[in-house]
Amino acid sequence: MLRDQVCFALYAASRALTDVYRPLLDEFGLTYPQYLVLLVLWERGDDPPTVSELGAALRLDSGTLSPLLKRLAAAGLVVRTRSALDERRVEVGLTADGAALRQRMTDVPLRVACSTGLDETELVALRDTLTRVTETIHRQKEQ
Amino acid sequence: MLRDQVCFALYAASRALTDVYRPLLDEFGLTYPQYLVLLVLWERGDDPPTVSELGAALRLDSGTLSPLLKRLAAAGLVVRTRSALDERRVEVGLTADGAALRQRMTDVPLRVACSTGLDETELVALRDTLTRVTETIHRQKEQ
DNA sequence: CCCGGATAAGTTGTGCGCAATTGAATTGCG
DNA sequence: CGCAATTCAATTGCGCACAACTTATCCGGG
């Protein structure tokens, strides 16, 4: 029964992949969610996102992001600044250290992808299926 | 970049599916990991597993399972008994209430599967791919 | 038989993830 | 303009996950 459940397969695979990331990220003092935040920030270049925009990208709320960002700020990788235009917003920008980390971590995704044992084609197919599932579910929630 | 990452797709899909489970399980006062534990216990019939055996099935350690099982016991769904043969072991058995829940929850997996928008064939293919990835990773860890 | 290592479960501490609430700032409607 | 509804981030509380450690039990060699 357990073996038949797609959800358990998803849950187990997600934790297994995070296990692969853990030792790689440990070298940089990062957790996987923290790494995801950095991925978003690196992608944005200048134009730092607000906490909400980060949350929309990662599907995490302020209850998760606020303390996480506080830890990234304490590590000197990120700065949080109140927006001058709208004082409710907090913009999350990279420090020089945070930006520099990008170059040092370029090989991390490849090393993780290899550990799955899937080839390029299978990886792309898997990613697309999963993205479709996630979007189907979120579209349903909006109604 | 974020969009390219298989790992993020997996992480997001796993959380999205748990979101689908949440309202269904809430009616029974269960969380998703607690439901997984019950799935294992239902499968075993008599012959209650030890904490370690549960952990091997779900890939969770005693640090996660001990407090979780304590909550299931407090809810009256489970009983924990020291093994007479080996007093280090704790066997986890179902109460009448815990066993009875099985019938009341038979339609849960189907309702969740529907929300993914995938057909039977795609679901099986996805499950098999994910199971393969998980096993590949765990095989690597053992060396 | 005894003791050293191994094994099982539990505990502690940290960091998510999410619901619910709070408090401050902004928007929009009358 | 004025104030009620909304938006945004932060906080609180709870339940996983997981590493590291503790305690109790068992096993096996000498």
Side-chain angles (χ1 to χ4, degrees):
Chain A
M1 280 292 180
L2 182 65
R3 240 164 216 77
D4 301 338
Q5 302 252 347
V6 180
C7 297
F8 174 68
L10 205 44
Y11 164 79
S14 179
R15 284 190 297 128
L17 266 189
T18 304
D19 272 2
V20 177
Y21 267 109
R22 202 184 321 281
L24 303 180
L25 297 180
D26 262 359
E27 294 179 40
F28 301 95
L30 293 174
T31 65
Y32 183 63
Q34 290 167 9
Y35 170 69
L36 290 178
V37 166
L38 291 179
L39 277 182
V40 174
L41 298 182
W42 291 334
E43 232 173 304
R44 300 271 296 222
D46 7 296
D47 163 50
T50 64
V51 174
S52 296
E53 287 167 338
L54 265 176
L58 300 175
R59 303 212 173 267
L60 293 170
D61 67 3
S62 68
T64 300
L65 286 174
S66 287
L68 186 158
L69 293 170
K70 205 176 280 185
R71 283 185 283 270
L72 280 181
L77 301 174
V78 141
V79 280
R80 297 182 300 156
T81 52
R82 286 270 161 199
S83 162
L85 275 76
D86 183 344
E87 298 236 334
R88 290 171 304 180
R89 296 168 182 266
V90 168
E91 288 162 1
V92 182
L94 287 163
T95 62
D97 280 0
L101 213 50
R102 183 179 197 171
Q103 310 309 323
R104 303 206 286 134
M105 298 183 77
T106 43
D107 62 333
V108 168
L110 182 63
R111 290 169 69 184
V112 174
C114 288
S115 76
T116 62
L118 300 182
D119 63 31
E120 192 68 18
T121 311
E122 290 173 307
L123 281 173
V124 171
L126 176 59
R127 187 198 61 199
D128 290 348
T129 302
L130 292 172
T131 303
R132 194 149 48 90
V133 168
T134 304
E135 279 171 6
T136 301
I137 290 172
H138 286 119
R139 226 174 295 120
Q140 282 164 15
K141 288 202 81 168
E142 275 144 30
Q143 265 66 296
Chain B
M1 281 298 180
L2 184 64
R3 237 161 220 80
D4 303 337
Q5 302 251 345
V6 179
C7 298
F8 175 68
L10 205 45
Y11 165 80
S14 179
R15 285 189 297 127
L17 265 188
T18 304
D19 272 2
V20 176
Y21 267 108
R22 202 183 321 282
L24 303 179
L25 297 180
D26 262 359
E27 295 179 38
F28 302 95
L30 294 175
T31 64
Y32 183 62
Q34 289 168 9
Y35 170 69
L36 290 179
V37 167
L38 290 179
L39 277 183
V40 175
L41 297 183
W42 292 334
E43 231 173 306
R44 302 270 297 223
D46 6 298
D47 164 51
T50 65
V51 174
S52 295
E53 287 167 339
L54 265 176
L58 300 174
R59 303 211 173 269
L60 292 171
D61 66 4
S62 68
T64 300
L65 286 175
S66 286
L68 187 157
L69 292 171
K70 205 176 279 184
R71 283 185 284 271
L72 281 181
L77 301 174
V78 142
V79 280
R80 297 183 298 157
T81 51
R82 285 273 160 198
S83 162
L85 276 75
D86 183 343
E87 299 236 334
R88 290 172 304 178
R89 295 168 182 266
V90 168
E91 288 161 2
V92 182
L94 287 163
T95 62
D97 280 0
L101 254 192
R102 183 180 198 171
Q103 309 310 321
R104 304 206 286 133
M105 298 184 76
T106 44
D107 62 333
V108 168
L110 183 62
R111 291 169 69 184
V112 174
C114 287
S115 76
T116 61
L118 300 181
D119 63 31
E120 193 68 18
T121 312
E122 292 173 305
L123 281 172
V124 171
L126 176 58
R127 188 198 61 199
D128 290 349
T129 303
L130 292 173
T131 303
R132 194 148 47 92
V133 168
T134 304
E135 279 170 6
T136 302
I137 291 173
H138 286 119
R139 224 173 299 119
Q140 283 165 14
K141 289 201 82 168
E142 275 144 28
Q143 265 68 293

